[in-house]
Amino acid sequence: MNLSSRLEAARGIPPSAATTAAPSAPVPGTPAVPAPRPVVVPVAPPTDALARLKDRVGKALFERMGARMNDPSLSEDALRAIVLGELDEVVEEENVPLSTDERLRLTAELADDVLGYGPLQRLLDDSAVSEIMVNGPDAIYVERSGRLERTTTRFASEEHLRRVIDRIVSRVGRRIDESSPLVDARLADGSRVNAIIPPLAFSGSTLTIRKFSKDPFTVEDLINFGTLSPEMAELLNACVEARLNVIVSGGTGTGKTTLLNVLSSFIPEGERIVTIEDAVELQLQQDHVVRLESRPPNIEGKGAITIRDLVRNSLRMRPDRIVVGECRGGESLDMLQAMNTGHDGSLSTVHANTPRDAIARLETLVLMAGMDLPLRAIREQIASAVDVVVQITRLRDGTRRVTHVTEVQGMEGETVTLQDAFLFDYSAGVDAHGTFLGKPVPTGVRPRFTDKFDDLGIKLSPRVFGAVEPAGGRGW
C-alpha cells in the first residue's frame, strides 16, 4: 500500500468500489460479453502526498522553533540537534503511518530545508558532483566526470528556490533582489556561486555552483589526473620558488583557480602572501596569508571596493607575494606595475584560449584602465613583468590538461616573443571511449629563465628538458 492509500485509510476514506469489487463468473451457455472497463480513480503519486505532508510538517516546525532559528549563541551542531528533536515531535503529532524509509527521507529533506540548502544539499554532499546548474525550480543539472546530466531533483516552487538563493548570498553579506538581480557569492567551503533572478532570468531563478573540494587538490592529485606531468610539475615548482611571475590562462571551467591553488602551494614558508579575489576561493596552506575580498555597491550604489582598489592597497601591506584570483579589468595595469617594481613571484589568472591570446587579453585589460597608454608601452610592460604563461584546457573528453608551459622571452620589434617549454601531445589520438591518450611533453627547448635557477641554486632533473619536441610544437 502506497503512502497516498495509507493517508486515505487514516482519514477514514473507503477504497473505491470500482477497484475492489470482484468480477462475477460468467453464466454457462451464454455468450461472453466484454466486461465494462472499471473506472479507475486517479491516485496522487506518493511523492505528492509526501510533499504535502512535508509542507505541513515544515510550517509546524518553523512555528515551534521561532526565534531560535536565528539565535547567534547556538552553534551549528546545537541548532541541528534542536531542529531534529523538534522535527521528531512534529512528525509524531501528525500521526501519519510512515515506513522507516519514508520517515528518514522526510526528516532528511526537512533538515536540509531548515539547516542546509534544500534539494541541493545532497548534490553538494556528493563528492562525484563538480558543478551544479539550476535552470529554474524544475531543471537541475550536474557535472560528473566532466559530463553534464540532468537530475530528478527539483524545488517545490520558484519561491522555494529563491529562499535557498537568499540563504546562500546573505551568509556572505551579499544581497539579491529586483534592484540587484545578479550576484557572485561563495559557500563556506569556498565553492563559487552565481545567481541571477527574474526579470533578467526569463526561465526562472538560475543558480550555478562550482564546487571546491573540501580537501584541496595537491600537485600529486593533478599528476594522477593527468593534468600535469611530473616533469612539468618540477619545472613549475622551480618557477614559483625562483619568484618568477606566472599567469595561469584558460577558458571558463578549465580549472584555473584549482591550478593557481596548487601553484601557490609551492610558495616557501616564511613569506607574506596577500590574496585578492572577488569571492574568496583560494585555499592556501601557508600560515602567513592575508585574504582580501572585493565588495559590491550597497543598495544606494555606493561603497563598492574593486579588485583594483585592493591591488593598490596591497602594495602598502609589505607583501612578498601577491596572488590575484583573476585579472578581468583595469587592475591588470596595477598588477603589472607591481610585478615590475619588486613584487616578484606574483601569480594570477586570465581568461584566454592560448598563451598568445593571454598576452593579447592582458593588453586589452590594461587598456580598460583608461590610462591611454601606447600599445608598445603596454607590450613592453607585459614582456618585462610576465615570465611564464601556463595554459590549461578542458578537452572534449571532459578532462582538464595543461597544454602549454610557455616562456615570455621579451620583445622583438612590436611583438612579444613566446617560446613553449611544454606542449600537450595531441598526436597520440584517442581511445575507443573518446579519451585523449596524449600527455604534456617537453619540447626540448631550455627556457632562458633557467639561468636564474642556476644563480639561486635550484636544481632541475635532466629529464625535464630531455624529450624531443612533439609534432606541431613551435615557439613564437
Side-chain angles (χ1 to χ4, degrees), residues 3-4 7 11 44-60 94 96 98 102-103 105-107 109-110 113 119 154-157 160 163:
L3 177 60
S4 294
L7 288 175
R11 297 189 185 110
T47 53
D48 291 343
L50 191 61
R52 291 194 296 270
L53 176 62
K54 174 184 168 184
D55 186 55
R56 295 198 307 272
V57 172
K59 291 179 180 177
E94 282 288 322
V96 174
L98 294 174
E102 289 167 343
R103 187 184 183 93
R105 176 184 165 193
L106 177 66
T107 303
E109 289 184 359
L110 282 169
D113 282 343
R154 62 185 297 275
F155 286 87
S157 63
H160 187 197
R163 286 200 302 270

Side-chain angles (χ1 to χ4, degrees), residues 396-418:
R396 67 172 181 266
D397 62 359
T399 59
R400 295 165 171 88
R401 307 290 182 91
V402 174
T403 55
H404 299 73
V405 174
T406 302
E407 177 189 20
V408 181
Q409 293 187 326
M411 291 283 293
E412 198 169 282
E414 295 290 330
T415 305
V416 178
T417 57
L418 307 178

Side-chain angles (χ1 to χ4, degrees), residues 288-437:
H288 198 165
V289 178
V290 179
R291 308 172 79 185
L292 305 181
E293 183 179 53
S294 64
R295 186 177 70 183
N298 59 21
I299 196 169
E300 299 175 351
K302 300 178 181 178
I305 303 296
T306 65
I307 293 289
R308 188 173 188 185
D309 297 330
L310 295 176
V311 171
R312 288 175 174 174
N313 184 78
S314 69
L315 302 179
R316 304 181 181 93
M317 299 175 66
R318 199 269 179 205
D320 289 309
R321 308 266 185 160
I322 300 175
V323 181
V324 179
E326 182 181 342
C327 286
R328 63 180 70 178
E331 68 272 3
S332 301
L333 176 59
D334 300 285
M335 186 71 183
L336 293 175
Q337 292 295 315
M339 291 176 173
N340 275 323
T341 54
H343 295 88
D344 297 329
S346 298
L347 307 172
S348 187
T349 70
V350 67
H351 273 81
N353 294 324
T354 66
R356 173 60 64 191
D357 290 345
I359 299 300
R361 171 82 170 153
L362 285 174
E363 294 174 8
T364 304
L365 295 178
V366 171
L367 290 172
M368 292 173 64
M371 301 299 290
D372 198 23
L373 296 172
L375 194 56
R376 180 175 177 84
I378 295 174
R379 289 175 177 171
E380 288 177 346
Q381 285 286 317
I382 294 173
S384 176
V386 180
D387 297 305
V388 183
V389 177
V390 182
Q391 181 71 41
I392 185 168
T393 303
R394 180 179 175 184
L395 304 181
R396 67 172 181 266
D397 62 359
T399 59
R400 295 165 171 88
R401 307 290 182 91
V402 174
T403 55
H404 299 73
V405 174
T406 302
E407 177 189 20
V408 181
Q409 293 187 326
M411 291 283 293
E412 198 169 282
E414 295 290 330
T415 305
V416 178
T417 57
L418 307 178
Q419 175 62 54
D420 295 325
F422 278 84
L423 285 175
F424 184 81
D425 186 10
Y426 289 97
S427 62
V430 297
D431 63 13
H433 303 288
T435 303
F436 281 87
L437 299 174

Side-chain angles (χ1 to χ4, degrees), residues 30 36 58 111 116 120 127 132 144 156 173 190 229 237 243 254 274 282 284 303 306 389 412 423 450 459 474:
T30 60
L120 300 182
S127 59
I132 302 170
R144 285 190 176 94
S229 67
N237 190 352
R243 302 182 67 89
T254 54
V274 178
L282 294 174
L284 273 65
T306 65
V389 177
E412 198 169 282
L423 285 175
T450 55
K459 302 297 183 183
R474 62 186 176 90

Side-chain angles (χ1 to χ4, degrees), residues 142-207:
V142 297
E143 180 188 77
R144 285 190 176 94
S145 303
R147 308 283 184 176
L148 290 181
E149 59 184 66
R150 185 166 182 169
T151 69
T152 57
T153 305
R154 62 185 297 275
F155 286 87
S157 63
E158 172 71 15
E159 290 73 23
H160 187 197
L161 173 55
R162 284 289 299 275
R163 286 200 302 270
V164 171
I165 293 175
D166 289 336
R167 184 176 302 157
I168 291 173
V169 301
S170 63
R171 290 183 177 180
V172 293
R174 305 291 172 97
R175 63 184 179 84
I176 187 167
D177 49 39
E178 289 187 0
S179 63
S180 179
L182 53 89
V183 67
D184 283 318
R186 56 180 166 80
L187 300 181
D189 63 357
S191 296
R192 183 186 306 173
V193 177
N194 176 270
I196 181 168
I197 63 174
L200 299 187
F202 183 77
S203 59
S205 297
T206 302
L207 180 68

